[in-house]
Amino acid sequence: MSAQRLISNRTSQQSASNSDYTWEYEYYEIGPVSFEGLKAHKYSIVIGFWVGLAVFVIFMFFVLTLLTKTGAPHQDNAESSEKRFRMNSFVSDFGKPLEPDKVFSSQGNEESRSFFHCYISEADPLEKAKACLQTTALDSEVHLQEAIRCSGRPEEELNRLMKFDIPNFVNTDQNSFGEDDLLISETPIVLENKPVVQTSHQELD
Amino acid sequence: MKHILNLYENINSTARNNSDCPAVILPEEIFFTVSIVGVLENLMVLLAVAKNKSLQSPMYFFICSLAISDMLGSLYKILENVLIMFRNMGYLEPRGSFESTADDVVDSLFILSLLGSICSLSVIAADRYITIFHALQYHRIVTRHRALIVLTVLWAGCTGSGITIVTFSHHVPTVIAFTALFPLMLAFILCLYVHMFLLARSHARRTSSPPRANMRGAVTLTVLLGVFIFCWAPFVLHVLLMTFCPADPYCACYMSLFQVNGVLIMCNAIIDPFIYAFRSPELRVAFKKMVICNWYQ
């Protein structure tokens, strides 16, 4: 009896009190939280979480930056002059956003238009090599040269070359050269590549 | 999840006033603005891809999937605000059956958009990884047909998971599974991108590129991963704290910032097109053409 009266008192008190209380038990019941005897600051989880997140992201950035600076440079002296001829910043900029499916689908097409003719063609005239040097500036230049020179093994070189092709990823915006973008490529060789890419796109449309 | 997601509606109750950490309430206009901008932006991305035949390749399908999930997240917010407005104006009963069903549907929409966003980001990272490391076979591995199948399976899985999570949201294993998904996907994406970055670095080393160029790759990666972490981690932590320490004063202070965490998720929907979709010059050109054509018509 007394228990029932107690319960009915409680429910009547609840209904008599602020009607917002009725929201409580449809949703998760959260009673009043006592804030006494706190050892640390009350927002310590908030501050700790955000500081930890910022530290993690900055740490990740520094690790990536350090990775770019450390490591033994591995250069071939014989090809250093041609390397400087190319766009050096491409690979680190994660390459030109050339869709590999378009590029590969153009393999069977006009070889003169696709810059992949450099890899496939086994005839190795010097003019083609020079044209390749110019038009494939956005690719892994070292292996390109090797592919052109060692035309007897085009597939292997093609494999190695394609391995370093990082399309799509971020940027190199050919159209807005002057933009202050994160990964915009800097060298003017990019612009030379534009007509090749555009024609290859046009022929695929 | 319902009790978690609808918590901020109870802000005005007297129980809240007992705490020293008053809930941070953001005006609804902010939510509306952010959501509408998110919906419009992602809709533009979808339209740009739909209108251009040349953009209908697997890579852009994955970016569209991300745009759809971001759009769903913003739509969720708009729907929820509309429901709350109706309830405040008295058109809806506080605990009617229609209202609780609508709540369930809206919450499962949110979970679906969250899962869809995480899965789309992972799929985009995997696609880029295959592009780099299996470049020759890429055209055979990632065909349009397969991309569509993968996306269908993913979205079906996300829908099923979303409905399951909302149905069983009061159980602890559900919450643990849900919150474990975030760090797992983050670790997966991190591994893929760091491996790609290392490859780019080793190549750059061979070609003696200036260190500034490498720096940009590092900045890009940091932006990609940082945005993901900053936008999603606060909400995931909120869900964890809600389940395991709701009565703790420290946790309560963190949970009082729930609306800020919600805005961060909406901001993710706005930022994602800029760091994924609009990075591609082709899509930018198509987008400009679309805007200019509509402007002149």
Side-chain angles (χ1 to χ4, degrees):
Chain A
M1 266 305 255
S2 60
Q4 276 183 351
R5 210 177 297 134
L6 196 63
I7 291 167
S8 65
N9 277 344
R10 269 195 204 143
T11 51
S12 65
Q13 274 174 8
Q14 267 193 341
S15 56
S17 66
N18 193 338
S19 63
D20 283 340
Y21 265 125
T22 60
W23 289 95
E24 293 284 350
Y25 68 96
E26 175 174 318
Y27 305 104
Y28 196 78
E29 180 85 28
I30 298 183
V33 178
S34 115
F35 277 84
E36 289 170 15
L38 288 186
K39 290 175 197 157
H41 189 262
K42 58 185 178 180
Y43 281 110
S44 55
I45 290 188
V46 178
I47 297 168
F49 171 73
W50 283 103
V51 166
L53 215 57
V55 162
F56 175 71
V57 172
I58 292 172
F59 170 73
M60 191 173 66
F61 176 67
F62 276 128
V63 163
L64 290 172
T65 317
L66 275 174
L67 283 175
T68 67
K69 291 189 176 138
T70 57
H74 177 74
Q75 283 185 16
D76 285 335
N77 290 332
E79 295 164 357
S80 59
S81 57
E82 282 107 359
K83 283 177 208 169
R84 273 183 226 114
F85 173 72
R86 304 313 186 67
M87 189 183 69
N88 294 323
S89 61
F90 145 72
V91 174
S92 306
D93 288 333
F94 289 100
K96 157 176 136 57
L98 182 68
E99 286 86 1
D101 56 352
K102 288 210 176 95
V103 169
F104 289 118
S105 60
S106 71
Q107 271 182 359
N109 270 336
E110 321 307 317
E111 291 181 344
S112 58
R113 297 233 186 137
S114 162
F115 65 69
F116 272 12
H117 80 281
C118 307
Y119 312 120
I120 301 166
S121 161
E122 296 218 344
D124 189 336
L126 271 180
E127 306 104 51
K128 261 194 189 174
K130 280 179 192 163
C132 286
L133 284 179
Q134 290 220 336
T135 55
T136 59
L138 288 183
D139 234 335
S140 37
E141 299 86 10
V142 175
H143 295 273
L144 169 61
Q145 291 178 351
E146 291 169 359
I148 292 168
R149 285 192 202 123
C150 314
S151 58
R153 296 175 293 150
E155 282 302 298
E156 232 180 82
E157 302 307 324
L158 185 54
N159 274 334
R160 277 204 285 158
L161 235 143
M162 286 307 97
K163 217 178 157 189
F164 295 98
D165 190 3
I166 309 178
N168 268 342
F169 211 95
V170 187
N171 191 23
T172 67
D173 181 18
Q174 299 172 359
N175 296 328
S176 57
F177 186 75
E179 272 179 23
D180 185 15
D181 206 346
L182 266 186
L183 295 173
I184 192 161
S185 58
E186 284 180 330
T187 70
I189 296 174
V190 178
L191 295 176
E192 291 178 31
N193 209 14
K194 236 197 313 194
V196 175
V197 174
Q198 283 173 358
T199 51
S200 69
H201 286 177
Q202 280 159 18
E203 72 184 351
L204 290 168
D205 282 345
Chain B
M1 289 299 132
K2 195 161 59 169
H3 58 281
I4 297 169
L5 298 171
N6 289 323
L7 182 61
Y8 73 93
E9 295 168 8
N10 302 331
I11 297 297
N12 292 330
S13 71
T14 54
R16 293 296 156 283
N17 293 339
N18 287 339
S19 77
D20 284 340
C21 287
V24 173
I25 303 174
L26 297 177
E28 280 181 13
E29 288 78 20
I30 291 186
F31 280 109
F32 262 122
T33 314
V34 172
S35 318
I36 288 174
V37 169
V39 167
L40 287 176
E41 220 181 293
N42 288 292
L43 200 61
M44 295 290 219
V45 170
L46 289 173
L47 282 175
V49 172
K51 282 190 176 177
N52 279 285
K53 291 283 178 214
S54 64
L55 290 180
Q56 286 168 9
S57 67
M59 178 191 74
Y60 289 107
F61 287 160
F62 298 141
I63 288 181
C64 280
S65 164
L66 182 67
I68 288 173
S69 64
D70 287 337
M71 208 163 71
L72 280 178
S74 306
L75 272 175
Y76 150 77
K77 207 53 187 174
I78 293 175
L79 274 177
E80 198 176 41
N81 279 353
V82 163
L83 278 179
I84 290 170
M85 266 169 42
F86 280 169
R87 195 158 43 192
N88 290 341
M89 285 196 274
Y91 293 129
L92 291 177
E93 288 176 15
R95 273 178 290 149
S97 64
F98 168 74
E99 206 252 8
S100 58
T101 315
D103 265 345
D104 276 338
V105 167
V106 161
D107 287 345
S108 54
L109 195 66
F110 174 69
I111 302 289
L112 172 68
S113 97
L114 202 158
L115 291 175
S117 188
I118 295 179
C119 291
S120 302
L121 291 176
S122 314
V123 162
I124 289 176
D127 175 57
R128 288 174 175 176
Y129 189 84
I130 296 176
T131 304
I132 291 170
F133 288 98
H134 302 279
L136 279 183
Q137 296 94 21
Y138 176 84
H139 191 53
R140 282 195 299 271
I141 297 176
V142 185
T143 60
R144 223 184 269 193
H145 186 61
R146 275 186 204 164
L148 287 172
I149 289 177
V150 163
L151 284 176
T152 313
V153 166
L154 266 180
W155 278 97
C158 291
T159 310
S161 308
I163 293 173
T164 313
I165 288 175
V166 168
T167 313
F168 296 107
S169 60
H170 289 273
H171 300 249
V172 170
T174 314
V175 173
I176 292 180
F178 176 68
T179 54
L181 200 63
F182 173 78
L184 281 175
M185 288 302 193
L186 176 66
F188 175 66
I189 293 173
L190 191 69
C191 288
L192 289 183
Y193 279 130
V194 165
H195 197 191
M196 287 189 263
F197 179 79
L198 288 176
L199 179 68
R201 177 195 70 115
S202 72
H203 184 73
R205 203 116 314 275
R206 289 163 160 266
T207 57
S208 71
S209 61
R212 191 163 166 243
N214 276 331
M215 187 72 128
R216 287 187 169 159
V219 168
T220 304
L221 256 194
T222 310
V223 165
L224 285 183
L225 294 169
V227 164
F228 180 67
I229 294 172
F230 272 116
C231 291
W232 288 111
F235 174 74
V236 171
L237 185 65
H238 178 95
V239 168
L240 271 177
L241 293 183
M242 187 75 195
T243 310
F244 291 112
C245 63
D248 190 65
Y250 299 111
C251 301
C253 278
Y254 181 85
M255 292 190 286
S256 67
L257 298 174
F258 178 69
Q259 293 201 356
V260 174
N261 299 340
V263 165
L264 279 175
I265 295 179
M266 301 300 117
C267 287
N268 182 57
I270 295 181
I271 297 174
D272 268 347
F274 285 110
I275 58 179
Y276 284 98
F278 295 143
R279 279 296 192 188
S280 158
E282 274 188 334
L283 202 142
R284 259 192 287 213
V285 163
F287 183 72
K288 279 178 197 162
K289 267 191 226 164
M290 200 173 70
V291 167
I292 290 171
C293 285
N294 284 343
W295 185 261
Y296 280 125
Q297 273 172 5

